[in-house]
Amino acid sequence: MTLTTFFNFTRIQTLPAALLSPIAGCLFAFWYFGSFHFWPTLLFFIGLASINLFVSAWNNLMDYQKALDPEYKKWNIIVAKSINPKLALNICLALLAIDVVVGLIVLFLTNLAILPIGGLCFLIAIFYTYGPFAFSRFPLGEILAGLCEGFFGFFLAVYINSYDKGYFFINFDRNWFMTWTWDFKILLPILLVGLMCFVQNFNIMFSDNICDLEQDIRNERYTLPYYLKIPLSLKVFAGLCILIAIALGILPIWSLLMSIIALKVIPNIKKFRAKQSKSETFHLQIDNLMLFNASLALTLLLGIIFK
């Protein structure tokens, strides 16, 4: 396998979009808590990159194995690039192993409280397209993808850099009695900003499945647009963008500058509502995700500099 084929198999071009939300999380932690932990953060991003590449590669492999539409299967990268399925599986397992090792080290460096979240994300990554009840074949895929890539990506980046503040923490006493602290006064602002990141990633998966609806039906994938139908799907898609404004009160005043991206985001939404095409308009939703996450990170950076 050539390096170019590997990059295409793992869809490495999607990595920058996946990293922007956690980057914003790191900046939020520094702005909100004045806290940054280099080594856990570095390892977290290594694990994040590994699991992101794994998910893309794993999805390609599972789509190849489960495809019912001959025309769709012909365009799968494993067929198009003549990749040995065993080699594809070994690559997936190697990327998954890297994430597990790095995740355990981060867990050791921080706190046990992140184990349930990390474990949930790990299971979703594997069973998103694997098994007879793969999440991507039901109207759960969009929500779970938004949670993992948007919400939990942001939350974990914040937490790894502020775990020592004790707002979400597991302690054991001498008798191994466990206490789990949940300080919602601190958690709520983080959750609200994380919700904004969730909405953006949900929109990406939602619009992707809107574009692929007919093809998905041929492959017996019944995603959320299948049940909502196209007209309602488009209304929900546009309406979710309103949630962006929820958490502005807990962001720096510079975050008001994020309203500028509406000049680009709204026209992109209108173009997608007018025509749902994977080749012509889907990229506009990726542009919106990049614009939102980049502007969030930038305004947080301005808040840090001019605090």
Side-chain angles (χ1 to χ4, degrees):
M1 179 186 295
T2 66
L3 190 61
T4 300
T5 301
F6 172 79
F7 287 159
N8 290 332
F9 177 54
T10 57
R11 297 175 187 167
I12 199 169
Q13 69 274 12
T14 66
L15 196 56
L19 295 180
L20 277 176
S21 180
I23 289 173
C26 293
L27 291 169
F28 181 86
F30 194 82
W31 176 77
Y32 198 77
F33 297 102
S35 179
F36 178 75
H37 302 302
F38 177 78
W39 288 112
T41 300
L42 177 62
L43 292 168
F44 169 68
F45 275 96
I46 292 173
L48 188 67
S50 297
I51 199 66
N52 183 267
L53 296 179
F54 162 80
V55 168
S56 296
W58 188 244
N59 289 350
N60 279 327
L61 180 59
M62 292 299 104
D63 286 345
Y64 163 77
Q65 292 181 350
K66 294 184 177 183
L68 300 176
D69 182 7
E71 188 65 23
Y72 171 77
K73 193 163 187 174
K74 182 177 68 175
W75 291 104
N76 184 281
I77 189 171
I78 291 179
V79 175
K81 297 295 184 180
S82 301
I83 301 173
N84 187 322
K86 289 185 178 180
L87 175 60
L89 177 60
N90 289 335
I91 290 172
C92 291
L93 293 177
L95 291 169
L96 194 63
I98 292 171
D99 179 65
V100 170
V101 172
V102 170
L104 289 174
I105 297 173
V106 171
L107 179 66
F108 176 77
L109 292 175
T110 57
N111 185 257
L112 191 62
I114 65 170
L115 181 59
I117 298 174
L120 178 62
C121 292
F122 184 81
L123 292 175
I124 291 173
I126 294 175
F127 292 103
Y128 187 76
T129 52
Y130 177 72
F133 303 105
F135 299 134
S136 66
R137 294 180 174 269
F138 297 92
L140 285 173
E142 298 88 348
I143 295 173
L144 294 176
L147 280 174
C148 287
E149 296 182 13
F151 181 82
F152 287 138
F154 175 84
F155 178 83
L156 287 173
V158 174
Y159 184 75
I160 286 168
N161 284 288
S162 59
Y163 70 92
D164 49 344
K165 305 302 179 182
Y167 60 89
F168 185 64
F169 209 81
I170 288 179
N171 281 313
F172 291 93
D173 64 16
R174 295 179 180 178
N175 297 318
W176 287 93
F177 181 81
M178 185 183 78
T179 57
W180 196 342
T181 301
W182 300 62
D183 187 344
F184 283 98
K185 184 178 180 181
I186 298 178
L187 280 170
L188 187 58
I190 302 172
L191 298 181
L192 288 175
V193 181
L195 177 62
M196 295 161 57
C197 296
F198 161 78
V199 168
Q200 298 305 311
N201 283 272
F202 175 94
N203 283 345
I204 288 290
M205 291 304 302
F206 197 54
S207 57
D208 187 27
N209 288 336
I210 288 173
C211 293
D212 290 341
L213 181 57
E214 293 182 5
Q215 185 183 83
D216 284 344
I217 293 173
R218 291 195 297 270
N219 286 303
E220 297 184 2
R221 292 179 72 241
Y222 303 107
T223 58
L224 193 57
Y226 172 81
Y227 293 95
L228 294 180
K229 308 305 179 186
I230 291 295
L232 182 57
S233 295
L234 295 174
K235 291 177 182 178
V236 172
F237 169 75
L240 283 172
C241 295
I242 299 172
L243 292 175
I244 295 174
I246 290 178
L248 289 179
I250 51 91
L251 293 172
I253 191 65
W254 295 97
S255 294
L256 292 173
L257 294 173
M258 292 177 67
S259 60
I260 296 174
I261 68 171
L263 299 174
K264 184 67 176 178
V265 168
I266 293 176
N268 284 349
I269 293 174
K270 289 181 178 179
K271 289 177 183 177
F272 183 77
R273 293 190 68 181
K275 184 175 183 179
Q276 303 85 55
S277 169
K278 196 67 169 287
S279 59
E280 297 180 43
T281 58
F282 173 65
H283 71 91
L284 297 174
Q285 311 318 313
I286 299 176
D287 292 346
N288 284 353
L289 172 71
M290 298 287 284
L291 280 170
F292 174 83
N293 285 340
S295 63
L296 176 60
L298 179 60
T299 56
L300 283 168
L301 182 60
L302 290 173
I304 292 169
I305 293 173
F306 297 104
K307 191 171 183 179

